[in-house]
Amino acid sequence: MNHERFFNDEEEEEEEEEMMAFMNGWFVKYGIFTLTMLLFCLTPMAGSGTPRQNSYLILLDPAHGGEDLGVVSDKLREKDLTMNMALLVRQEAQKMPGLQVQLTRSADRRMTIAERVKAAGTMKADCLVSLHVNAGFGKKATGYEIYFPGFRQAASDGGDSSPILKDMARNKSLNNSVRLAQQIQSGLETVFPRKGRGLRDAPSPLLDGLTIPGLVVEIGFATHPDDRKKLTEPETQRAVARALVKGLQDYFQKAPAL
Ligand SMILES: [Zn+2]
């Protein structure tokens, strides 16, 4: 506060009154308009704290981390590549209106599957995509794989008072996982033509723990020299990130009601 206010003389009071009159006039002229605009801008923020109207929250999961390195082949470490890819996807998604991306881990730290599942619930994400790099199946194995949760688990986890409702919600989420997998597949097909190893339904502690659509994407094989070289190229990484965002955008555009 200004201490000079204690020594206010009349002149200053007059000035103040003039100012008040001016402000009142200004408010009548422009204030209501400004207030309306402010309210209009703030409306989508009301309630949840995040602007979720016409906006979808994608939870990206850079697999592994900390002392859990994932696949290590030559200089490639899975935990580093998944983190790098997640950051690139977030960057690309920021260019798209209506998509928000959060990461399960933003630092190089170990995280349990349960912690990753819990993050999806806490953040109220609309889907989860877990990024991995593949290994094995012999040294000739190459290409990307997309896993969605197994339908087999759907009917068996009832047990409370509304198993039917629970199954219906679970089936809807599983169907959406398959649709998401198809969109991601067509996105990746543009970067790795004919390199898809198909959509795979496999039991996964991460995916089976989710109540939202979720996928595991194995971007390529660290154990294959061509894949490994491609995966470490910045331009391929950027292209993969764009392809993933395209797939996610198409998925949400075609299914606004989750
Ligand atoms: Zn992995």
Side-chain angles (χ1 to χ4, degrees):
M1 260 298 163
N2 192 344
H3 291 276
E4 281 173 27
R5 277 193 69 83
F6 290 109
F7 307 103
N8 231 351
D9 57 20
E10 276 171 24
E11 215 171 274
E12 260 182 289
E13 260 171 41
E14 263 171 42
E15 267 176 27
E16 226 167 74
E17 273 166 29
E18 270 172 35
M19 193 64 191
M20 294 272 285
F22 171 76
M23 289 298 284
N24 282 341
W26 182 87
F27 182 77
V28 172
K29 272 189 200 155
Y30 307 110
I32 293 168
F33 173 73
T34 312
L35 259 182
T36 314
M37 286 305 288
L38 254 178
L39 281 174
F40 177 76
C41 294
L42 289 175
T43 305
M45 306 281 283
S48 66
T50 25
R52 297 293 294 280
Q53 198 178 358
N54 300 322
S55 158
Y56 295 103
L57 179 62
I58 299 149
L59 185 58
L60 274 185
D61 176 41
H64 312 284
E67 56 274 38
D68 170 15
L69 309 178
V71 178
V72 180
S73 183
D74 202 4
K75 283 176 195 155
L76 189 153
R77 295 193 302 183
E78 186 180 3
K79 67 162 187 172
D80 298 330
L81 187 70
T82 58
M83 190 68 219
N84 203 18
M85 284 307 309
L87 293 172
L88 285 174
V89 173
R90 186 167 69 180
Q91 246 180 40
E92 289 299 320
Q94 274 164 355
K95 298 174 190 168
M96 304 293 169
L99 291 189
Q100 291 182 47
V101 170
Q102 296 272 1
L103 309 189
T104 51
R105 66 174 174 99
S106 54
D108 181 18
R109 68 181 184 92
R110 193 184 190 112
M111 238 186 136
T112 64
I113 297 293
E115 284 171 328
R116 293 172 203 255
V117 170
K118 198 176 165 203
T122 313
M123 290 180 191
K124 296 193 165 55
D126 293 306
C127 74
L128 177 141
V129 176
S130 186
L131 300 171
H132 285 256
V133 178
N134 229 333
F137 299 106
K139 290 212 162 158
K140 285 185 181 164
T142 173
Y144 64 89
E145 287 180 339
I146 302 171
Y147 288 87
F148 56 86
F151 279 84
R152 285 182 297 268
Q153 279 77 35
S156 60
D157 57 2
D160 67 9
S161 56
S162 58
I164 294 169
L165 283 177
K166 209 175 166 186
D167 277 355
M168 278 170 68
R170 177 91 177 124
N171 279 329
K172 191 178 171 192
S173 163
L174 287 172
N175 285 325
N176 282 333
S177 297
V178 176
R179 279 196 324 97
L180 177 60
Q182 288 164 339
Q183 295 297 343
I184 298 278
Q185 186 184 34
S186 28
L188 284 177
E189 200 55 34
T190 60
V191 192
F192 303 121
R194 298 179 305 281
K195 285 285 192 178
R197 292 165 56 92
L199 303 182
R200 290 158 183 252
D201 151 359
S204 143
L206 173 65
L207 300 182
D208 294 337
L210 295 176
T211 51
I212 54 168
L215 300 179
V216 166
V217 181
E218 301 271 2
I219 311 165
F221 278 81
T223 39
H224 191 283
D226 293 349
D227 277 17
R228 189 168 60 234
K229 186 173 172 290
K230 266 196 133 183
L231 288 173
T232 46
E233 289 166 357
E235 52 278 27
T236 307
Q237 291 180 0
R238 179 69 67 179
V240 171
R242 286 198 184 123
L244 290 174
V245 171
K246 171 85 171 61
L248 286 158
Q249 201 184 24
D250 289 348
Y251 165 73
F252 284 119
Q253 264 173 8
K254 287 172 191 167
L258 289 176

